[in-house]
Amino acid sequence: MPTLRQLTHDFSSALETIYPASEAASIAGQVLEHLLQLTPLQRRMQADAPVLPDVAEQLPTLQARLLRHEPMQYVLGVAHFAGLELEVTPATLIPRPETEELVQLIVEEQRHRPALSVLDVGTGSGCIPLALCQALEPTRTVAVDVSAEALAVARRNACRYGCEIDFQQLDILTQTPKIEPHSLDVLVSNPPYVLENERPLMRPNVLDYEPATALFVPDHDPLLFYRRIAELGTTLLRPGGALYFEINEQYAAQTLALLTGLGYTQAAARADIFGKQRLVRASWE
């Protein structure tokens, strides 16, 4: 039987035909960890242990899918986010590290406020409200999405972690969530913000597999979703509530101007771990 080290090396080498060596090695390691239910440390410590045939036999199929640029998270059916293991499918975006940073910002600012009411717009896999549920234990959490398929995934994730979340299917551009006016403490969204003209710049594993409705916004109106959500916030947020966005770094100044124009205060953009202006927060007084 091949050892874990051998399988990881061979799997990584095969992926190097389309991925940089470091990324191929990372993907190979994560796939083997998932199949064997090991932590990264356990995988390294057990590198010379033999791997049973029933595990090794799964690798060719997974390898073929990865070589077609299918994202590893869809191949495995799971993504990790803020300490959670979440189900993901092609109906949901794959949670990103910068979205974890958005959650961390909310937790930092809201952790001392009791009985929070939270709304997440465009919830996808439910990663944001689930992470906030775990960290803040809100009294009420509402999450909306236009996709019934995405909401089905989010509901399964919420059930797994025992989080009570009110999931609502609606088009935020034309419909309003069922929430009492001036009752929200936190309004958060990571809406579509990639311009259509940015498609050629995107990698195949994103462009060919992740849901376009959750990614793209018209070139002529890049703030379409931010404007609508911020306008809703003026009627849904209670005094002292806060709005949080993940944004396209190109439009930080315009997003702040939009919020200030609608009456929000303390509007500020923050850089993510890559130094890009990707996070925005504002207060409603």
Side-chain angles (χ1 to χ4, degrees):
M1 287 186 291
T3 66
L4 178 52
R5 188 192 309 277
Q6 291 169 327
L7 280 181
T8 305
H9 175 269
D10 293 346
F11 199 62
S12 176
S13 297
L15 296 179
E16 287 180 24
T17 58
I18 64 168
Y19 290 105
S22 60
E23 188 171 357
S26 175
I27 293 172
Q30 290 180 71
V31 169
L32 268 300
E33 288 161 13
H34 177 80
L35 293 179
L36 295 168
Q37 292 296 291
L38 299 175
T39 66
L41 177 60
Q42 289 171 333
R43 177 172 60 85
R44 290 193 293 271
M45 293 179 65
Q46 299 178 29
D48 295 315
V51 177
L52 295 175
D54 64 326
V55 173
E57 289 167 0
Q58 297 179 56
L59 294 178
T61 299
L62 301 180
Q63 178 179 299
R65 293 175 65 183
L66 289 165
L67 288 174
R68 292 194 292 268
H69 295 278
E70 186 173 354
M72 177 191 66
Q73 292 87 348
Y74 292 157
V75 171
L76 299 180
V78 298
H80 293 90
F81 181 86
L84 305 172
E85 184 178 84
L86 303 176
E87 176 189 348
V88 291
T89 75
T92 67
L93 282 183
I94 296 167
R96 301 311 203 267
E98 51 268 34
T99 309
E100 284 196 45
E101 293 185 71
L102 182 65
V103 168
Q104 290 166 2
L105 173 61
I106 297 170
V107 172
E108 288 171 7
E109 293 193 349
Q110 304 292 332
R111 61 164 44 117
H112 301 301
R113 297 185 64 178
L116 287 171
S117 177
V118 175
L119 169 62
D120 175 40
V121 176
T123 198
S125 65
C127 61
I128 292 176
L130 279 164
L132 294 177
C133 175
Q134 295 285 300
L136 297 175
E137 299 182 354
T139 300
R140 186 185 186 201
T141 305
V142 179
V144 305
D145 204 288
V146 70
S147 167
E149 293 82 2
L151 288 174
V153 174
R155 288 189 178 97
R156 291 194 292 271
N157 284 326
C159 183
R160 175 178 179 180
Y161 286 100
C163 292
E164 293 188 11
I165 298 174
D166 176 10
F167 291 105
Q168 300 178 16
Q169 183 184 1
L170 56 87
D171 182 347
I172 199 65
L173 294 178
T174 60
Q175 297 172 283
T176 301
K178 296 182 178 66
I179 297 173
E180 299 77 12
H182 311 299
S183 67
L184 277 182
D185 297 292
V186 173
L187 172 54
V188 57
S189 184
N190 175 21
Y193 60 69
V194 180
L195 300 180
E196 287 286 348
N197 66 25
E198 293 178 306
R199 281 179 181 264
L201 305 176
M202 301 183 71
R203 293 175 59 170
N205 60 331
V206 176
L207 190 59
D208 295 343
Y209 289 96
E210 297 201 53
T213 54
L215 286 170
F216 294 106
V217 69
D219 293 342
H220 68 275
D221 194 2
L223 300 185
L224 172 65
F225 287 94
Y226 298 101
R227 184 183 310 107
R228 169 61 175 166
I229 295 166
E231 288 171 350
L232 285 174
T234 65
T235 61
L236 295 179
L237 284 166
R238 71 171 84 243
L243 177 150
Y244 300 88
F245 283 144
E246 183 176 326
I247 66 166
N248 185 324
E249 62 187 282
Q250 299 180 62
Y251 295 102
Q254 293 93 322
T255 305
L256 295 178
L258 167 69
L259 295 173
T260 301
L262 287 170
Y264 288 87
T265 63
Q266 301 178 56
R270 299 198 182 190
D272 64 11
I273 55 174
F274 304 109
K276 298 178 179 180
Q277 298 289 309
R278 297 288 297 278
L279 312 177
V280 162
R281 59 91 55 218
S283 298
W284 183 252
E285 304 299 340

